[in-house]
Amino acid sequence: MLLAGCGTHAVFGAALGPFTVSEALAERLGGRLEPGMLVLADRNFPAFPRWRAAKARGTDLLWRVKSNAVLPLCRQLEDGSYLSQICAAKDCYQCSDPEHVRVIEYTLDGGSEVYRLITTILDPEQAPARELAVLYHQRWEIESLLDELKVHQSAGSALRSKSPDGVAQEVHGMLLVHHAL
């Protein structure tokens, strides 16, 4: 799992492990978040404790949520977004300790798929819904970074190491070379 800049492809943090522990990998990257960052994440990433921890570090968040996420309308905003709240799963009925979020819903080019984003940026004048929707799609820049690492930098060759420690060392070496380039 990587934490990277969309424009520069600079890697700010990396966590390695089996795909079955993605949540634990995300927790390891949480310490790399800083005030002033805007963290974009896809719909399989959000979790209430992770949201709260990232927000507590002063990081702004713009995360896609699944279409079945319950996001009650608290107040409609002029730019088409609305204020809502999210709660921990164990507190979903009482919602005694909510996090306030702004919800942005849209489709692309008249398509049927609805994108639902939640953000910590509650003021639409600070960041209009349309700008955040356009910005969210910059999240796909991570795919370009992965292409640079896997295809161009390593010439498509598989990792040579046969042990978990060797694989970790090789991946970190690739990330250092990427940073130097």
Side-chain angles (χ1 to χ4, degrees):
M1 185 172 287
L2 298 175
L3 180 62
C6 289
T8 63
H9 293 188
V11 177
F12 296 103
L16 303 174
F19 72 92
T20 56
V21 296
S22 61
E23 302 244 346
L25 297 178
E27 305 312 320
R28 282 193 245 157
L29 288 178
R32 305 292 301 179
L33 302 178
E34 298 177 7
M37 284 183 169
L38 174 63
V39 177
L40 312 175
D42 201 10
R43 66 181 160 214
N44 291 324
F45 193 78
F48 185 79
R50 192 175 302 126
W51 178 275
R52 185 162 269 176
K55 183 180 173 192
R57 294 190 68 79
T59 306
D60 285 320
L61 309 172
L62 180 61
W63 293 2
R64 187 172 178 192
V65 294
K66 293 182 180 181
S67 60
N68 63 352
V70 177
L71 298 167
L73 171 65
C74 293
R75 191 174 98 205
Q76 187 71 44
L77 300 172
E78 291 180 17
D79 68 347
S81 63
Y82 63 93
L83 298 180
S84 186
Q85 57 189 22
I86 57 174
C87 302
K90 64 183 179 188
D91 187 31
C92 67
Y93 293 109
Q94 294 181 348
C95 204
S96 60
D97 188 21
E99 284 287 337
H100 298 280
V101 298
R102 186 165 143 224
V103 180
I104 300 161
E105 296 179 337
Y106 61 96
T107 60
L108 294 176
D109 298 325
S112 61
E113 183 177 11
V114 176
Y115 288 80
R116 295 177 80 199
L117 308 177
I118 58 175
T119 183
T120 55
I121 305 170
L122 303 180
D123 182 0
E125 289 188 22
Q126 182 183 359
R130 182 172 174 76
E131 286 181 21
L132 289 175
V134 169
L135 184 61
Y136 171 75
H137 291 277
Q138 292 295 312
R139 190 196 72 72
W140 288 100
E141 282 295 315
I142 192 84
E143 299 301 330
S144 298
L145 183 148
L146 293 172
D147 176 69
E148 291 167 5
L149 287 170
K150 292 192 280 187
V151 177
H152 302 289
Q153 186 176 315
S154 66
S157 64
L159 296 173
R160 298 176 305 242
S161 302
K162 303 298 181 201
S163 70
D165 287 342
V167 168
Q169 183 178 20
E170 201 169 335
V171 169
H172 281 108
M174 290 174 64
L175 291 172
L176 287 170
V177 169
H178 175 76
H179 184 72
L181 293 173

